Amino acid sequence: MSKKLTRFVAVLLLIALLIPAAGATFAQGVACEEDYSVQADDWLSKLADKFYGDVLAYPAIFEATNAAAKADPSYATIENPDLIEVGWKLCIPSAEDAQALLAGESMMGGEMMAESGGEAFNFVLVPKNLGNPYFDTANVGAQEAAAELGVNVTYQGSATADATEQIQLLNSLIAQQVDGLAVSANDADALVPTGKAAMEAGIPVVSWDSQIAPGGRNVHVNQAVAEDIGRVQVQIIADLIGGEGQIAILSATSTAPNQNEWIEWMKDELSKPEYANIELVAIVYGDDEDEKSYNEAQGLMKTYPELKGIISPTTVGIAASARAVQDAGKVGQVFVTGLGTPNQMREYVKSGAAPKFALWNPADLGYLSIYTLYAIASGQIEGKPGDTFNAGKLGQYTIDENGVVLLGPPTIFDINNIDDFNF
Ligand code: RAM
């Protein structure tokens, strides 16, 4: 063999060695970097997580395997991406090819399933009540998630934050056979039978913001650790009133699961020695209605002329309380804190009626709730403790041992940062 020819063969051999052990290249130019035989308890999103670290990349395996099956029937033909069987041979494209396949999908998720014979999901986001900017903002995030996932999310709630009205609404949504419910509960226990009925009818239930007790939902999406939310509000009021004096709590409804849990932590914080000079004189309820909350705040100032602080762990109550303090000419005498939206509280931060308060981003909460619901409804996860799923721009989340997904720590707002936020 001539030297030239030897070199040519060597180069060919080298090229052959450098090419990964790929299977055939299929119609769309996608090669199987690896073949995979389905094991018990596998499902596509779990495999997408394993190979690409992204549960939402499962359509790439689905598409590539079906393309491969056309050229080589030893690969499985997958009709329903939610159903794969043990022993099936799947085509796993390289991460690069998977990305190209996903980018080539005009639609992902629910709509992609629609293309393959399934149907786009119809989810419903249910707030405690309508007419509250906090929940409206959550819906903005939910719609963003819906657009990314190719699902429909409608926003439906009752006029008042009332458990009976909410149960009626949920029953009618169950009868309509919607594909998933994301609910901010008006009562943790009263909603359990309804949540159960939905799940028994095959409708996944995620509670968010205000939880349905375990047993009545698959997962609860919690905005922040309840203990932290409770304690921080006491720490802020103590600071605002100089560590002594009478304070009151103006809450949402008396049955609200989230507020009631936070109030327990407030009491616990107040029992510490450093708050010995602070007296909690009353807990009243404005029912997340502006006028009622305003009247309750006025009532507190009348009944307790020495009152120095109001903690209102509701976006409706805190704005109404701050307005009542301002209208009463008591800025600097009575301080308000609690949980509010920056847009509703901006003027009261600036006037000094409510110089400091806390909240999370409700849009992120709505966004995460829809991703959680989608992960369960699409069969990517069962919704059990330890399950991990991808929530788009927010990243990866894991369900904890109590069936809870945690959004993250709250933000504290004051004059220094209030203008940086617009919700
Ligand atoms: C109100 C609602 C909601 C709560 C916020 C802080 O908008 O009661 O459930 O999370 O306040």
Side-chain angles (χ1 to χ4, degrees), residues 385-410:
D387 284 354
T388 293
F389 62 98
N390 193 292
K393 65 175 184 184
L394 296 177
Q396 197 102 343
Y397 284 82
T398 302
I399 300 173
D400 78 9
E401 66 279 10
N402 301 314
V404 173
V405 170
L406 184 66
L407 178 65

Side-chain angles (χ1 to χ4, degrees), residues 128 132 134-135 184 209-210 223 252 258-259 262 288 313-316 339 359-360:
K128 281 178 174 172
N132 177 347
Y134 170 89
F135 290 119
S184 171
D209 175 66
S210 182
Q223 47 270 60
N258 50 346
Q259 273 90 11
W262 300 331
D288 271 350
T314 136
T315 58
V316 180
L339 306 173
L359 200 72
W360 43 91

